[in-house]
Amino acid sequence: MIVTVTMNPAIDKTVEIGKFEYSGLNRIKSSISDAGGKGINVSKTIKHLGGQTTATGLMGGNSGKIIENAMRELDIPSDFVWVEGETRTNMKVLDADGNVTELNEPGPVIQKEAVDTLLEKLEKLAGPDTFFVLAGSIPAGVDSGIYGTIIERVKKKGAKVFLDADGELFTKALAAGPDYIKPNRFELEQYFSFEGHATDLELVEMGRKMQAKGIGTVAVSLGGEGALFVLEDTALKAPGLKVEAHSTVGAGDAMVAALSYGIDSGFDIQKCIRLGMATSAGAVTTIGTKPPTKELVEELMKQVELIEL
Ligand SMILES: Nc1ncnc2c1ncn2[C@@H]1O[C@H](COP(=O)(O)OP(=O)(O)OP(=O)(O)O)[C@@H](O)[C@H]1O
Ligand SMILES: [Mg+2]
């Protein structure tokens, strides 16, 4: 079973207006709201691919209820720890000039008790058949070492962990030895304080250094250029698939979702990679963070090329 953990969920609201009136009245022409946050997006994509997941994490207030309802409608079981305060609403304002103005709420400040309750919940869910996906940022009040703590606790019970985070959150979690990570080029170069644009082989070298520290598979996503996969005994490059890009937001989440689904289903690693490449390329053809259809994913899987490095 795949359990996604979203510490900092959000309602992603996209509104369309006419010309932007600074300091004036802006009437909204259309408005779309989606349940968001990286872990939740991963759950939605897994569901689309035909997999099963439970979404957990921290949730608050009326917007939390809206997200919970949206998950119910998508038939995704959710099991959140409820906190005081209101889960974030992040608004993207699209104006007639094509500009996007973002207005993001801060979200609730989390009390230690809520984090402890979440840790207990995750430990209860953990077992040899549980695959955790830890993805995205954390809200105020939560220690940046939280992902490391979660990894340690659930790995003790035999669970596997896929980590997708950046900055301090990423760095601190690595010591706990996640089984899978998916930094993008920038996150990996930043971690190694690498100056300039690393070559494929330099990126593989960085992946190997991470494995030497106890991390399992390292997937390095390269946006439109595709991705690299540093496996136990080999490294593979999958060049980016040629698709019409509409929105690259959430491409990384789609990759994480598809890899997790493939691994948890017991597919061989090459099939997991094909699925990851196809699902993430499919995701950029849709607007916002909407997952691609299964048909498109199947079509794109045939186009994935794997090159040994
Ligand atoms: N323009 C594109 N064309 C084709 N595929 C793409 C494109 N952009 C992204 N992808 C696919 O999506 C994967 C993940 O993209 P990217 O490296 O941008 O992730 P990310 O930076 O982690 O994104 P996120 O903002 O979701 O965290 C890539 O490895 C690639 O397979
Ligand atoms: Mg990312």
Side-chain angles (χ1 to χ4, degrees), residues 38 164 182 184 187 252-253:
K38 279 186 179 284
D164 183 19
K182 191 220 65 64
N184 61 24
E187 288 156 0
D253 303 340

Side-chain angles (χ1 to χ4, degrees), residues 38 182 184 221-224 226-227 241 243 245 248 250-253 255 277 280-281 284:
K38 279 186 179 284
K182 191 220 65 64
N184 61 24
S221 64
L222 310 168
L241 298 177
V243 290
T248 57
D253 303 340
M255 166 79 81
M277 292 305 298
S280 56
V284 309

